[in-house]
Amino acid sequence: MVWRFLDALNKPIPATANSTPVIASAVAFSHEAEGRGGKQSRAPAKSPPPGSPCRAAPHNNGILQRFLASLRFGLPALALLLGGCASVPPTPMRFVNDKVAASWPAPPDVQRYRYVGELTGEANFLADGAEKKKFNVLAWLVGLIVGEDAPVVLLRPQSGAVDAAGRVYVTDVGRNAVFVFDRVENKLDVWEWAGETQRFLAPVGVAAGADGALLVADAEIGAVVRLDRKGNPAGQFGKGALTRPTGLARDAARGRVYVADTHAHDIKVFDDRGELLETIGRRGEAPGEFNFPTHLAFANGLLYVTDAMNSRIQVIDAAGKVQRSFGERGLYVGNLPHPKGVAADSDGNIYAVESYYDHLLVYNSVGELLLAIGGKGYGTGQFYLPAGVWADSANRIYVADMFNGRIVVLQYLGDK
């Protein structure tokens, strides 16, 4: 039956004066259908100019035109026919791990960290080989109508956060969006809207907010954007008070939101409603002063600040007092010539991304270097201009490997 059907496509039928370039119409319809909130426009498409590859041929394509015109309604039925009418359950989110196993430090030292895998995009929600099984049968049909979709992948990830349910949020300045690796509903979302009519421009810092909200610091918008559980814009705060917000962290116990205002060289403190409470620091090199602060983290009752142009990490308590500071410029592993992301695990270990030499540096709670992981490259344990770093409640460590377009995930194994 299928062979007879395919054979029929090759038989010409007479063209009529009213033949419509169905391929072009279908393409135009699909483009018009793209839009915010799933809104669709059914405006008629213009006919392509003579000689266009999308224009209908006068004779042999007549039946193909009718066939394609019917696909809008018949394609789902054809898919069910070829697919056996079976529904495919969502694939649980997984960390892609197609590289060699690795752990740190190297033997014979006791293993403290293990390579888990990567987050890259839609591949994290596909079982091995699932992509071919899902798209191979109808790829040529879909391609005739709407073209082949580009994969949904990270481009230039900056920073991230993990909420209480285990969802991983990643800001991406290459996509001007927030990627949501949702392990609860086993799906990937890409949130692009910072307001009803405003897209994200340069999302950098991200943190879980109150009542299930997500907070995103957008450096170009100059504000902190609040999104609801479904990614819908739910307001902004800091507009006018913030110059160029980048890093973001929240003290959930006290309802305090910390924002690194990079060009103002200080840390702005807001409450959960978005009211400005205080400002920590000013430009300078003394303790409690900053020179282009960027990434932030809040853990173990302490605020960790990447004081970028002072080449150090400052650790500040809830009262705004500096508890310790470590790091310096230099040419050796462990120096911080260009620090970016900062994080801490439940044991108090501090993680700093040193992007100049492409390393993740691990310090103890008083700032003594314990371990360096990295070096420029794409292999396991290598980075290319890494940016942010963050930890979850299971002591998984996430590194935004920016120019490799991925999030590298390590498991802290604790002290043995």
Side-chain angles (χ1 to χ4, degrees), residues 217-231:
D218 191 298
E220 291 293 334
I221 293 175
V224 176
V225 177
R226 185 184 287 110
L227 304 175
D228 68 17
R229 296 173 189 268
K230 296 184 178 180

Side-chain angles (χ1 to χ4, degrees), residues 26 46 49 89 104 119 153 177 184 213 228 246 267 272 296 321 344 388 413:
K46 296 181 180 179
W104 297 268
L119 295 172
V153 296
V184 178
D228 68 17
T246 53
I267 309 299
D272 280 333
L296 302 178
K321 304 297 183 183
L413 302 175

Side-chain angles (χ1 to χ4, degrees), residues 80-93:
L80 288 175
L81 174 65
L82 297 178
C85 301
S87 61
V88 179
T91 301
M93 190 186 98

Side-chain angles (χ1 to χ4, degrees), residues 56-71:
H59 294 292
N60 291 342
N61 285 349
I63 192 164
L64 181 60
Q65 294 170 11
R66 298 177 188 176
F67 168 66
L68 290 175
S70 70
L71 283 182

Side-chain angles (χ1 to χ4, degrees), residues 84-108:
C85 301
S87 61
V88 179
T91 301
M93 190 186 98
R94 64 189 181 96
F95 296 110
V96 175
N97 188 342
D98 57 0
K99 295 181 171 56
V100 297
S103 60
W104 297 268

Side-chain angles (χ1 to χ4, degrees), residues 227-374:
L227 304 175
D228 68 17
R229 296 173 189 268
K230 296 184 178 180
N232 299 309
Q236 301 179 3
F237 62 87
K239 196 81 171 178
L242 296 167
T243 305
R244 188 173 179 81
T246 53
L248 191 63
R250 178 172 177 265
D251 176 0
R254 299 173 61 240
R256 297 291 182 266
V257 179
Y258 298 91
V259 185
D261 197 354
T262 300
H263 286 185
H265 309 283
D266 58 30
I267 309 299
K268 302 288 198 313
V269 185
F270 298 83
D271 63 18
D272 280 333
R273 297 172 300 173
E275 298 294 328
L276 180 62
L277 302 178
E278 63 175 313
T279 299
I280 300 174
R282 60 183 181 181
R283 190 168 194 177
E285 298 181 356
E289 296 179 339
F290 306 102
N291 193 6
F292 292 95
T294 53
H295 293 261
L296 302 178
F298 191 91
N300 309 314
L302 297 169
L303 178 68
Y304 300 83
V305 182
T306 297
D307 190 4
M309 296 305 291
N310 283 331
S311 296
R312 65 186 178 184
I313 303 296
Q314 296 201 61
V315 184
I316 300 172
D317 64 19
K321 304 297 183 183
V322 176
Q323 295 298 301
R324 65 190 71 93
S325 176
F326 62 91
E328 60 182 353
R329 298 178 182 88
L331 302 176
Y332 300 100
V333 174
N335 295 144
L336 293 173
H338 196 177
K340 286 194 175 181
V342 63
D345 62 32
S346 62
D347 283 350
N349 297 309
I350 303 170
Y351 303 86
V353 168
E354 206 303 290
S355 64
Y356 190 83
Y357 292 112
D358 303 289
H359 274 94
L360 173 67
L361 303 177
V362 186
Y363 300 85
N364 63 16
S365 60
V366 297
E368 297 171 334
L369 181 66
L370 300 177
L371 181 66
I373 300 172

